[in-house]
Amino acid sequence: MPLLDHLVPINNICQQKCNFCSAEYRMQWNPEIPLKKIFQDILSKGDYIQISWWEPLLHPKVFEILYFIKKYKPDCFIEFQSNGILMLKNKNIEKLLKCWVNLFNINYPCHISVINDQIAWVPWTLPIREKAMKKIIELGGKLRINIIVNTVNLSYIPQMIQYISETFHWFERIQLSFTKAMWAADRNKQVVPQYEEAEPYFIEALKIGKKLGIKIDVDHIPMCFLWPYFLNHVDYHKMEKQEEGVYMIEKNYVEKCNSCTLKSKCTGYRKDYLGIYDIKQNYV
C-alpha cells in the first residue's frame, strides 16, 4: 500500500529565499510540473489536499487548479500553504475562499521584523504578512500559523506564542515545525539547531500555549524532547490511528530510542538530522 502524501506542489518560484526552505527536495523530480501532471497528482490523492510550494499564488493558473479539485473531488478538504505576501493583492483571499479553500497555512518566520527579514532574505515582509493573516480571519477563513523553527528564531519561539495570542484572534492553530536539514539547510548547523538546544524553547512555548488555551502542533523533532507535552506531536496521533504517510520513511530510531517509553508512538529522529550531526541510525 503506497504511503499517503497530501501534498500537491504546483510551482518552483517564490519571492522569498528562506534559510530553511526544503521545497526543492519536493521539486527535484520535475522542476516544471506541467498542468496535466498537477491534475493527475490531484486525482491520485485522497480527501485531503495541500496546495503548496514554492509560492502557489505565483502560479498563473492557481485558481483553475483549485476549481479542478472541486469539480472532480467535490468533498475534498483543501489546505492552501503560502508565505502570505500576495494574499492582499487582487482580492486573492476572497478568491481563494470562493474556491473552497478550507484552511490557510501561512508561514510565519518571526514576530520581530529584523529576524523575519534575516530568515526570509527579503525585507519588509512582516507587516504585509501580518495584515494578510488578520484579513483571512476577518473574512471568516481558517488560519494555521506555521513556524519553521531554526537557529535564527529558536530563542524567540516562546515570545512568538504570546505575541500571536495577543495579535491574532480566532486563528485555528499554530504549528511548530523543526527545520529539515535539506536543500537550503542541508548540513548547515547555522540553520539546524541540535534537538537538545531546541528542547527548552519548545517546552516553554508549549507551556505558554497550554496556559493560553492555544492549539499547538509539533513536528520533525522527537517526542522525548517535548516532555511532558508529547501529545502535541502530530506523529503521536498518526501512530495512534495507524495512519500511513511519508513521516514513516523520513525518520528512524537511534540507540537511545530502544529504552524510551514513547517509542511505540514515535517514529524517531529525522534521517537528514542524523546526517548533519553524524548520529548512527538503529536499523534493528
Side-chain angles (χ1 to χ4, degrees), residues 145-191:
I145 301 171
N146 189 21
I147 302 171
I148 308 297
V149 181
N150 58 84
T151 302
V152 180
N153 65 6
L154 176 60
S155 63
Y156 299 98
I157 299 304
Q159 296 177 34
M160 289 177 70
I161 302 301
Q162 185 74 45
Y163 175 84
I164 288 169
S165 174
E166 296 171 354
T167 306
F168 307 100
H169 305 288
W170 307 109
F171 60 90
E172 186 74 8
R173 64 203 315 118
I174 296 172
Q175 174 142 347
L176 298 178
S177 294
F178 191 91
T179 192
K180 301 174 183 177
M182 53 177 59
W183 288 101
D186 184 28
R187 301 197 69 82
N188 189 346
K189 295 179 182 180
Q190 299 302 312
V191 176

Side-chain angles (χ1 to χ4, degrees), residues 61-107:
K61 296 186 177 180
V62 61
F63 298 107
E64 181 180 337
I65 292 169
L66 290 168
Y67 274 111
F68 178 89
I69 295 174
K70 277 305 173 181
K71 181 177 180 179
Y72 294 99
K73 301 179 76 69
D75 298 322
C76 184
F77 186 98
I78 302 174
E79 176 185 330
F80 195 89
Q81 300 181 354
S82 171
N83 59 39
I85 296 175
L86 294 177
M87 283 287 171
L88 295 174
K89 288 194 174 183
N90 304 316
K91 293 191 174 182
N92 280 330
I93 298 172
E94 290 89 339
K95 291 177 183 177
L96 290 168
L97 287 170
K98 288 180 180 179
C99 289
W100 304 278
V101 167
N102 302 99
L103 180 66
F104 292 81
N105 185 339
I106 303 298
N107 172 41

Side-chain angles (χ1 to χ4, degrees), residues 103-269:
L103 180 66
F104 292 81
N105 185 339
I106 303 298
N107 172 41
Y108 190 68
C110 191
H111 66 303
I112 300 172
S113 188
V114 65
I115 304 300
N116 173 89
D117 297 349
Q118 186 178 347
I119 293 171
W121 282 35
V122 178
W124 311 114
T125 57
L126 181 61
I128 299 170
R129 198 186 328 273
E130 290 192 341
K131 189 174 180 180
M133 292 161 69
K134 291 177 181 178
K135 189 67 174 179
I136 290 169
I137 296 171
E138 178 188 324
L139 293 174
K142 290 187 176 181
L143 173 65
R144 181 169 73 182
I145 301 171
N146 189 21
I147 302 171
I148 308 297
V149 181
N150 58 84
T151 302
V152 180
N153 65 6
L154 176 60
S155 63
Y156 299 98
I157 299 304
Q159 296 177 34
M160 289 177 70
I161 302 301
Q162 185 74 45
Y163 175 84
I164 288 169
S165 174
E166 296 171 354
T167 306
F168 307 100
H169 305 288
W170 307 109
F171 60 90
E172 186 74 8
R173 64 203 315 118
I174 296 172
Q175 174 142 347
L176 298 178
S177 294
F178 191 91
T179 192
K180 301 174 183 177
M182 53 177 59
W183 288 101
D186 184 28
R187 301 197 69 82
N188 189 346
K189 295 179 182 180
Q190 299 302 312
V191 176
V192 184
Q194 290 185 287
Y195 290 148
E196 291 81 1
E197 180 187 359
E199 180 177 12
Y201 297 106
F202 270 87
I203 291 174
E204 181 62 21
L206 292 169
K207 181 180 179 181
I208 293 171
K210 182 178 181 180
K211 181 179 179 180
L212 296 173
I214 297 173
K215 296 178 182 177
I216 302 180
D217 298 325
V218 180
D219 200 5
H220 305 308
I221 181 172
M223 296 174 200
C224 57
F225 293 99
L226 306 179
W227 194 275
Y229 303 104
F230 58 88
L231 289 177
N232 289 75
H233 203 295
V234 296
D235 285 0
Y236 184 94
H237 303 286
K238 291 177 183 177
M239 296 282 279
E240 279 272 283
K241 298 174 185 177
Q242 298 183 327
E243 178 183 325
E244 293 188 337
V246 293
Y247 76 100
M248 299 176 72
I249 59 175
E250 290 178 330
K251 301 161 189 173
N252 203 352
Y253 299 116
V254 298
E255 185 176 352
K256 66 178 291 187
C257 297
N258 294 332
S259 59
C260 182
T261 58
L262 295 172
K263 185 178 180 181
S264 64
K265 295 294 187 292
C266 181
T267 48
Y269 287 47

